[in-house]
Amino acid sequence: TTVTWTVTDANGNTSTATQLVTVTNNQNPTITAPANVAVNNDPGLCSSSTVILGTPSTADVCGVASVTNNAPAVFPVGQTTVTWTVTDVNGNTSTATQLVTVSNDQVPTITAPPNVAAFNDPGSCSASTVNLGTPVTSDVCGVASVTNNAPAVFPVGQTTVTWTVTDANGNTSTATQLVTVTNDEHPTIT
């Protein structure tokens, strides 16, 4: 702002001079991020594209020029920190953060290997060389482990083997396989 000073003498003569007054806004604007958000992943994906972030609360003594954030278009499963930035009309900025948590609520899939038929080991009422095969598994976020409860030795008869798949987020599914061991040795008699 230019201030004009005027001096007048006793006889009415005047002179002027100017003074420049500069007022600087050094106060940052204020921002409060929206509440944290928790959603589930989109069906068949390891991410969510349907996150609604909300609107931050902002204020500034001279006026807000813009509000932006660094949110991705698609949020992966897990936690993502979104940083909100408010800029006032004088270029001052402030930031606030919001946490977005995407949970994987989809269980992995598992198909057990085909049922197995085997004969007992010679001289034993069990089979120790049963080849179970490998189950078919999948998950949108990745399979972490595949286990089964098969015994080291299968007795003659039928044994149900339960296969368990666990995904990267701790979700599990099971499938069963039937192992049948037949005794093909004749008894002895004297």
Side-chain angles (χ1 to χ4, degrees):
T1 302
T2 301
V3 177
T4 302
W5 292 88
T6 303
V7 61
T8 305
D9 67 13
N11 297 311
N13 300 312
T14 61
S15 291
T16 60
T18 59
Q19 177 186 27
L20 186 62
V21 177
T22 303
V23 178
T24 302
N25 173 13
N26 62 358
Q27 298 178 37
N28 290 332
T30 61
I31 184 169
T32 302
N36 293 339
V37 176
V39 297
N40 289 327
N41 56 323
D42 295 342
L45 299 174
C46 193
S47 60
S48 176
S49 60
T50 58
V51 175
I52 299 172
L53 295 176
T55 305
S57 173
T58 61
D60 186 73
V61 292
C62 294
V64 170
S66 67
V67 178
T68 60
N69 67 55
N70 67 344
V74 176
F75 288 83
V77 165
Q79 292 187 328
T80 302
T81 300
V82 176
T83 300
W84 291 85
T85 302
V86 59
T87 305
D88 70 13
V89 294
N90 300 111
N92 299 307
T93 63
S94 291
T95 61
T97 59
Q98 175 185 27
L99 190 63
V100 175
T101 303
V102 178
S103 298
N104 173 16
D105 66 344
Q106 298 175 43
V107 296
T109 62
I110 184 169
T111 302
N115 292 338
V116 175
F119 292 107
N120 61 314
D121 296 343
S124 175
C125 193
S126 60
S128 60
T129 57
V130 175
N131 182 2
L132 295 177
T134 304
V136 176
T137 61
S138 69
D139 185 75
V140 294
C141 292
V143 171
S145 67
V146 178
T147 60
N148 67 54
N149 67 344
V153 175
F154 288 86
V156 167
Q158 291 186 328
T159 302
T160 299
V161 175
T162 301
W163 291 86
T164 302
V165 59
T166 304
D167 71 13
N169 302 108
N171 301 308
T172 63
S173 292
T174 61
T176 59
Q177 175 187 30
L178 190 62
V179 176
T180 304
V181 177
T182 303
N183 175 11
D184 68 343
E185 289 188 52
H186 297 286
T188 61
I189 186 169
T190 303

